[in-house]
């Protein structure tokens, strides 16, 4: 089968950083596994972090790719939720080979049915970022998607135009929050508003004065989707007593978690979307349920894809370009590749 892989960890401008390869197709699925014919993939910061330059050399080609959409070809004997021919979307498992290949094995418990109203490229923009945002807001933090008490609560989203931010704004708005997003360029400001942000402020400038200009002294919660260290002190001051801060980016150094976090009893919540699959948690199937719920919301017109561009067919050149754009820090929403 065709695939895109690496054997050395190189700068993305090196043509050998990601290469077109031919690999054996996966064996017939066992247990809860699905064998999926991959029709579209998307890229996320995790792809660039795994691929980042280091001395390690792989003895066998390593396939990346942690967003996929396609059609089920075969199912393992323990599969109950899917059958051959079903259209699916999912983010996969970082401990297993990635989805940048024509065929891919994945556990059914972290797979959802593709939204009927979206094509494969539009669908593949959603899984990893949606699971990250949903788990952070409605499982790690003490909020619920259908809770009427969210009305009147204020949520600050740092990096609103990124992949996770784009869907987090939508989910939070739908759940009843007043959403303040951050963005720094005209295009990203417009995008955040399009996603549903009530207000947009500039994360390159001090946050507190901009919030005060909106009549906002404090927020009930904040999710920092960009630079944990940079905004740590600011969020400690901005989040209300007994509020909550959600994080997805590992800090570069130690964080001071005393005052004002301690004085205010601010909850600190980490989200790692791969945790359930990596540790085979008893509630792995929750990701299947989340993707199913989100697919229904998309089909009802209540959420939208965050896809902004399809770069072309799935090959090494296009994936290198996608990685290059992600590393620039200037992408909006999600990039996808479709077809072989």
């Amino acid at each position: 089968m065709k695939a895109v892989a690496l054997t050395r960890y190189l700068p993305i401008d090196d043509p050998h950083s990601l290469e077109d390869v031919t690999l054996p197709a996966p064996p017939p699925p066992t247990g809860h596994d699905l064998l999926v014919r991959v029709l579209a993939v998307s890229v996320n910061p995790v792809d660039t972090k795994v691929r980042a330059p280091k001395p390690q050399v792989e003895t066998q080609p390593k396939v990346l790719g942690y967003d996929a959409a396609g059609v089920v070809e075969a199912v393992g004997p323990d599969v109950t939720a899917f059958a051959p021919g079903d259209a699916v979307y999912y983010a996969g498992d970082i401990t297993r080979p990635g989805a940048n290949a024509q065929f891919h094995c994945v556990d059914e418990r972290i797979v959802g049915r593709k939204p009927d109203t979206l094509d494969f490229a539009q669908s593949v923009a959603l899984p990893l970022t949606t699971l990250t945002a949903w788990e952070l807001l409605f499982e790690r933090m003490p909020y619920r998607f259908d809770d009427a008490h969210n009305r009147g609560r204020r949520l600050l989203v740092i990096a609103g135009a990124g992949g996770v931010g784009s869907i987090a704004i939508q989910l939070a708005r739908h759940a009843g929050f007043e959403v303040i997003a951050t963005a720094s360029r005209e295009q990203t400001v417009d995008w955040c508003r399009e996603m549903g942000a009530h207000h947009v402020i500039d994360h390159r400038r001090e946050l507190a004065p901009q919030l005060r200009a909106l009549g906002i002294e404090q927020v009930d919660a904040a999710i920092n989707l960009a630079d944990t260290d940079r905004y740590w002190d600011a969020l400690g001051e901005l989040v209300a007593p007994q509020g909550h801060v959600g994080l997805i980016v590992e800090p570069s150094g130690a964080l001071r978690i005393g005052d004002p976090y301690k004085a205010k009893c601010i909850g600190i919540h980490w989200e790692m979307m791969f945790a359930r699959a990596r540790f085979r948690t008893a509630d792995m199937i929750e990701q299947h349920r989340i993707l199913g719920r989100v697919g229904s919301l998309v089909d009802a017109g209540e959420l939208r894809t965050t896809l902004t561009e399809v770069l072309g067919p799935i090959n090494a050149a296009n994936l290198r370009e996608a990685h290059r754009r992600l590393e620039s820090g200037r992408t909006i929403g999600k990039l996808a590749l479709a077809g072989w």
Side-chain angles (χ1 to χ4, degrees):
M1 66 174 180
K2 293 180 180 179
V4 178
L6 61 80
T7 54
R8 293 181 292 158
Y9 296 84
L10 301 168
I12 198 58
D13 290 332
D14 190 313
H16 301 293
S17 58
L18 293 170
E19 298 183 291
D20 294 307
V21 298
T22 300
L23 299 176
T30 60
H32 285 279
D33 271 3
L34 311 174
L35 178 63
V36 176
R37 177 163 51 92
V38 175
L39 298 177
V41 299
S42 186
V43 289
N44 296 280
V46 63
D47 296 81
T48 66
K49 291 175 183 177
V50 173
R51 197 221 76 248
K54 49 184 168 284
Q56 182 179 343
V57 176
E58 301 290 341
T59 57
Q60 299 294 325
K62 180 180 180 69
V63 178
L64 308 181
Y66 307 105
D67 265 327
V71 175
V72 176
E73 290 283 304
V75 300
D78 298 328
V79 169
T80 60
F82 298 98
D86 287 343
V88 296
Y89 73 144
Y90 58 91
D93 178 349
I94 200 167
T95 68
R96 301 181 68 177
N100 294 337
Q102 285 182 297
F103 296 95
H104 185 237
C105 277
V106 62
D107 192 301
E108 66 166 336
R109 291 168 289 188
I110 58 173
V111 175
R113 293 185 180 275
K114 182 186 78 65
D116 292 334
T117 55
L118 300 183
D119 63 25
F120 288 98
Q122 293 168 327
S123 298
V124 83
L126 291 172
L128 187 148
T129 54
T130 299
L131 289 168
T132 298
W134 186 289
E135 289 182 351
L136 182 57
L137 287 168
F138 308 124
E139 296 189 347
R140 313 299 173 228
M141 301 170 84
Y143 304 117
R144 296 295 176 263
F145 185 69
D146 298 307
D147 188 352
H149 291 97
N150 294 331
R151 304 291 170 185
R153 287 175 173 155
R154 287 170 169 155
L155 174 71
L156 176 62
V157 180
I158 304 289
V164 179
S166 297
I167 191 66
I169 290 170
Q170 294 185 64
L171 291 172
R173 172 91 185 226
H174 193 279
F177 287 88
E178 180 181 352
V179 182
I180 307 103
T182 77
S184 60
R185 293 178 283 136
E186 182 179 353
Q187 302 96 314
T188 53
V189 169
D190 290 345
W191 176 258
C192 289
R193 295 191 187 281
E194 190 177 337
M195 292 298 101
H198 295 87
H199 314 284
V200 185
I201 60 177
D202 188 343
H203 48 236
R204 296 176 302 183
R205 297 163 49 204
E206 285 191 48
L207 303 180
Q210 297 179 79
L211 287 173
R212 284 196 295 270
L214 297 170
I216 299 171
E217 291 294 328
Q218 293 184 315
V219 296
D220 299 282
I223 54 174
N224 184 353
L225 310 175
D227 187 331
T228 297
D229 304 83
R230 178 178 177 183
Y231 300 104
W232 183 252
D233 291 340
L235 294 184
E237 297 296 333
L238 289 173
V239 173
Q242 301 186 87
H244 299 273
V245 171
L247 305 167
I248 67 171
V249 179
E250 186 174 352
S252 60
L255 295 175
R256 185 175 60 83
I257 59 172
D259 290 344
Y261 284 86
K262 178 183 176 183
K264 290 182 173 182
C265 291
I266 293 174
I268 302 168
H269 308 268
W270 282 104
E271 162 61 12
M272 170 54 79
M273 189 230 66
F274 292 118
R276 281 174 157 143
R278 177 181 178 183
F279 296 104
R280 312 296 292 177
T281 62
D283 65 350
M284 270 179 63
I285 199 168
E286 286 303 312
Q287 292 198 338
H288 165 73
R289 293 171 178 155
I290 292 167
L291 290 173
R293 178 75 185 277
V294 168
S296 296
L297 290 165
V298 169
D299 288 339
E302 297 177 21
L303 297 175
R304 52 165 287 186
T305 182
T306 57
L307 180 70
T308 52
E309 187 176 1
V310 180
L311 295 182
I314 306 166
N315 59 36
N318 285 330
L319 276 167
R320 287 197 300 271
E321 175 61 19
H323 279 232
R324 187 178 299 110
R325 294 195 193 183
L326 275 183
E327 289 181 346
S328 76
R330 296 179 64 82
T331 55
I332 299 174
K334 290 295 297 293
L335 304 172
L337 295 82
W340 293 89

